[in-house]
Amino acid sequence: MAVLKYIKLTLPMMLASLTFYAPASVSADELDGAKIYQQHCASCHGEKLEGGIGSSFLNHIWNYGSHPQLIGMNIKFGIPNLEMPGFKEILNDEQIGTVVAYIVEQDAKSELAAPKVPDHIKTEHYNFKVDILADNIPSPWGIAFIDANKALITEQSGKLYLMLNGVVQKDVIKDTPNDIALGGQGGLLDVALDPDYGDNGWIYLSYSHGLGADGILSKAKVMTRVVRGRIRDGHWVDQQVIFQADEKFYSKSRGHFGSRFTFDEKGRLYFSVGDRRVPKQAQDLSRPNGKIHRINKDGTIPEDNPFVGRPGALPSIFTYGNRNPQGMATHPETGDIWSAEHGPMGGDELNHIRAGKNYGWPEITYGVNYNGTIISEFTAKAGMEQPIIHWTPSIAVADIDFYNNAILPKWQNNLLVSSLKYRDLRRLVIEGDKVTHREMILKGLGRIRSVTVSPSGAIYLLLEDPSLILRLTPES
Ligand code: HEC
């Protein structure tokens, strides 16, 4: 009976893949991941896991969820509308568990884990020299330049580093916030300098703030928080909290903190707060999550913020319906704010951020849930903004920065975009609200958390898995 079902289930797939593949000779309770894989998966995913009609399992890319539990669900139930069959009639949970362990292990061992960083790269217009500035900072998150040769770098575990002439200093800045809750996507996140840093010395930090205790917190309720302070003699001093949500908005979730910064031409600070994994709250103006906020440098609210005076709305909100923006940048010419946000499975977005607008999450989205079920049947609705572009499947879009330096005139105002999942750096040519050209600049190294153009026009990349700080210097 089981065999019959199996043949019925796999026959159309065999035809689709045009690969002959013998029905089960593996015994029903077989518990060898490699054997199960060869028997049931190799015809589509490749004998060496290199991919075929199904995806490769050696590229660190999991389009449909990377958590072992999600991988297991994809195997058990299949992926709707794709030719990935469900195996729940054929493999028991334990067998699925061993095959998950096998493919995850093979993926981890694959050569991508130790990529070779090229010395030089060529692009359509320019060539770059590539330097590895550091390979020992575990999860660098944000970078802010004091001048062409001096920058501050945050590291997710809570450290704030100074980089001088491309060398990350061993001694971290002392006395930085000690109420950071680590775990998941939390930690010390972005860093930015005050637009008038030369006069006032203010530095802005965002992090997942834990309530209730000092030190590195593991079980606390958390929420994105923004502080500013100064550095004096290697110490963080003069700290002021400039954005903190009410305690009732703190939660145990360690995901979707958003928190990327940008300033506009009037010196107002924009930062994102992700939906904290409760999608519908992104539509609720009485809550800070799932929003992009705008505040003055001292934390006060700009009088012309779009929801000032609206009963029940938080006045710092600038836009809503934002899932988890981790890229923010100010257009060098128009001064407009742009953001990139993570979609669910599919539906990563690039958005042009305008006061008071609703970006739709989760009422409209191009993505679906990780188990393939529908979040919303709508991709558009009246009163909700469309993304400039969306990436489906998700590239796990992370940071963005506009290129703004006279040394590369052909790249002026182009947008650099980094991807975590696809491990690449892209260049988008943008005219008005249209992307007119795209180029892949670099790929296959690591998850690129952050891309930032330095005052000298070099491009700095912060990567994790493996952890690297790279500098791309234009060659004349
Ligand atoms: C008939 C062909 C076929 C067979 C047999 C098959 N798969 Fe797939 N599988 C696919 C296709 C097609 C996809 C979707 C690829 C895409 O478009 O990204 C997929 C996707 C997946 C994914 C999701 C990958 C990601 O990027 O998240 C996993 C995991 C997976 N398959 C595991 C398995 C395992 C384990 C087996 C054996 C038990 C198996 N598949 C058998 C065709 C197949």
Side-chain angles (χ1 to χ4, degrees):
M1 191 59 197
V3 172
L4 263 181
K5 257 191 205 153
Y6 182 63
I7 291 170
K8 231 169 91 190
L9 202 75
T10 49
L11 195 59
M13 299 153 203
M14 284 161 54
L15 293 175
S17 65
L18 293 178
T19 316
F20 177 71
Y21 129 64
S25 64
V26 171
S27 66
D29 53 359
E30 178 68 64
L31 267 182
D32 177 333
K35 246 169 142 178
I36 298 175
Y37 177 85
Q38 287 304 327
Q39 184 77 42
H40 295 282
C41 322
S43 61
C44 290
H45 289 282
E47 266 174 46
K48 299 198 170 81
L49 297 82
E50 73 279 18
I53 172 180
S55 30
S56 159
F57 294 134
L58 302 178
N59 59 8
H60 303 354
I61 295 175
W62 300 95
N63 279 327
Y64 307 95
S66 59
H67 191 283
Q69 215 174 332
L70 290 170
I71 297 176
M73 280 173 58
N74 289 334
I75 298 168
K76 188 166 180 179
F77 301 109
I79 303 177
N81 308 320
L82 291 175
E83 287 168 76
M84 171 61 197
F87 284 86
K88 67 176 186 297
E89 311 281 338
I90 296 152
L91 301 172
N92 61 36
D93 285 356
E94 217 180 341
Q95 290 174 310
I96 290 176
T98 53
V99 81
V100 170
Y102 172 70
I103 62 180
V104 166
E105 189 192 333
Q106 298 303 309
D107 184 51
K109 276 204 274 190
S110 72
E111 59 190 25
L112 268 182
K116 184 154 168 19
V117 177
D119 298 332
H120 298 268
I121 54 168
K122 285 186 171 15
T123 72
E124 283 170 13
H125 304 119
Y126 304 109
N127 298 335
F128 294 84
K129 179 172 180 289
V130 183
D131 292 299
I132 302 177
L133 303 182
D135 60 5
N136 56 355
I137 312 289
S139 294
W141 214 93
I143 182 168
F145 285 89
I146 296 168
D147 60 39
N149 301 314
K150 202 169 170 189
L152 291 166
I153 297 175
T154 52
E155 197 274 323
Q156 237 180 313
S157 73
K159 297 189 174 107
L160 182 61
Y161 289 92
L162 182 64
M163 184 173 69
L164 293 176
N165 298 313
V167 181
V168 180
Q169 304 299 297
K170 273 208 287 298
D171 291 332
V172 298
I173 307 298
K174 296 186 183 72
D175 302 330
T176 46
N178 66 354
D179 48 7
I180 300 174
L182 300 180
Q185 300 167 357
L188 179 58
L189 302 173
D190 211 10
V191 54
L193 295 192
D194 194 288
D196 302 317
Y197 176 81
D199 297 330
N200 61 31
W202 286 120
I203 297 157
Y204 297 77
L205 296 175
S206 62
Y207 62 97
S208 52
H209 172 234
L211 273 183
D214 284 338
I216 300 298
L217 311 166
S218 58
K219 294 210 170 73
K221 287 190 166 184
V222 290
M223 180 60 179
T224 311
R225 186 200 221 194
V226 181
V227 298
R228 68 174 179 177
R230 298 187 174 99
I231 293 174
R232 201 175 298 134
D233 303 328
H235 291 258
W236 179 253
V237 296
D238 301 341
Q239 177 169 302
Q240 300 175 346
V241 176
I242 60 166
F243 173 83
Q244 178 167 342
D246 191 283
E247 290 192 9
K248 69 183 178 211
F249 300 126
Y250 279 61
S251 80
K252 292 214 164 145
S253 165
R254 289 294 191 273
H256 300 189
F257 292 102
S259 93
R260 194 64 81 183
F261 291 138
T262 195
F263 282 95
D264 69 12
E265 290 160 329
K266 293 187 180 157
R268 296 170 299 195
L269 176 64
Y270 297 70
F271 62 93
S272 53
V273 179
D275 69 5
R276 307 290 289 111
R277 293 206 166 115
V278 189
K280 65 174 194 300
Q281 294 180 352
Q283 290 293 321
D284 182 346
L285 289 170
S286 72
R287 292 177 178 274
N289 45 327
K291 312 293 182 319
I292 290 173
H293 298 261
R294 177 171 78 174
I295 57 178
N296 293 319
K297 296 195 259 181
D298 60 359
T300 57
I301 305 294
E303 278 169 19
D304 59 346
N305 262 14
F307 300 108
V308 166
R310 181 183 301 200
L314 298 177
S316 58
I317 295 174
F318 189 69
T319 65
Y320 62 115
N322 300 103
R323 185 173 179 274
N324 189 26
Q326 287 196 321
M328 298 259 279
T330 305
H331 192 287
E333 244 164 50
T334 65
D336 291 347
I337 307 299
W338 289 60
S339 87
E341 70 181 54
H342 292 282
M345 189 173 98
D348 287 6
E349 297 184 353
L350 175 67
N351 286 309
H352 180 170
I353 293 299
R354 294 183 168 94
K357 298 287 188 193
N358 179 357
Y359 289 81
W361 173 253
E363 295 279 314
I364 58 172
T365 174
Y366 289 88
V368 296
N369 281 316
Y370 273 105
N371 59 8
T373 57
I374 296 293
I375 296 163
S376 166
E377 32 180 330
F378 301 105
T379 53
K381 269 188 189 175
M384 295 186 189
E385 301 306 298
Q386 281 294 302
I388 300 295
I389 52 171
H390 69 93
W391 289 275
T392 304
S394 298
I395 61 170
V397 65
D399 200 8
I400 56 173
D401 201 12
F402 285 101
Y403 196 86
N404 181 23
N405 193 296
I407 59 168
L408 303 184
K410 289 181 178 153
W411 280 22
Q412 188 63 22
N413 300 340
N414 287 183
L415 190 70
L416 299 170
V417 176
S418 84
S419 146
L420 294 171
K421 189 160 67 185
Y422 280 28
R423 298 166 176 265
D424 59 41
L425 177 70
R426 298 152 187 234
R427 178 176 67 95
L428 307 184
V429 180
I430 294 175
E431 284 163 27
D433 271 354
K434 290 249 170 333
V435 173
T436 55
H437 181 68
R438 307 186 194 201
E439 185 188 10
M440 190 64 80
I441 301 299
L442 185 67
K443 68 190 292 184
L445 295 181
R447 293 158 55 82
I448 308 184
R449 172 66 67 189
S450 163
V451 51
T452 307
V453 180
S454 82
S456 68
I459 299 164
Y460 284 71
L461 303 177
L462 307 182
L463 289 78
E464 56 190 39
D465 184 27
S467 297
L468 291 171
I469 297 176
L470 300 182
R471 178 178 60 203
L472 314 187
T473 311
E475 292 176 314
S476 47

